[in-house]
Amino acid sequence: MNVFRRSAIEAGDTVAVIGIGFLGALLTQLAAGVGARVIAISQRAWSLALAREMGAAETIQLGDDDGPIVRGSRR
């Protein structure tokens, strides 16, 4: 909760959460809950599914070929 309060995330902000484990999922839920647009980034498909359940607007799966992410295209 401390990291969330200190970040001062507000409605309309765009937030990237890298790594959707316990803390990443919680931060995704809290940020989405205040109206922020959350982009969740993880290597694991099940983590990204959890992030969507927690309110993530978009998800990006990292993998062996992350060229599309670097170039800015979405998967």
Side-chain angles (χ1 to χ4, degrees):
M1 290 303 294
N2 187 37
V3 70
F4 180 73
R5 272 183 255 145
R6 288 176 47 203
S7 64
I9 296 169
E10 299 177 349
D13 288 349
T14 298
V15 178
V17 178
I18 302 171
I20 309 299
F22 171 76
L23 184 58
L26 178 60
L27 290 172
T28 297
Q29 185 178 41
L30 291 170
V34 298
R37 177 176 165 259
V38 180
I39 302 168
I41 303 168
S42 180
Q43 292 180 334
R44 298 178 304 257
W46 65 266
S47 293
L48 296 175
L50 176 61
R52 284 188 290 278
E53 289 178 28
M54 296 294 121
E58 295 185 46
T59 60
I60 298 173
Q61 185 169 6
L62 298 176
D64 294 332
D65 179 15
D66 295 326
I69 294 169
V70 173
R71 287 189 299 276
S73 58
R74 296 192 177 122
R75 294 180 188 188

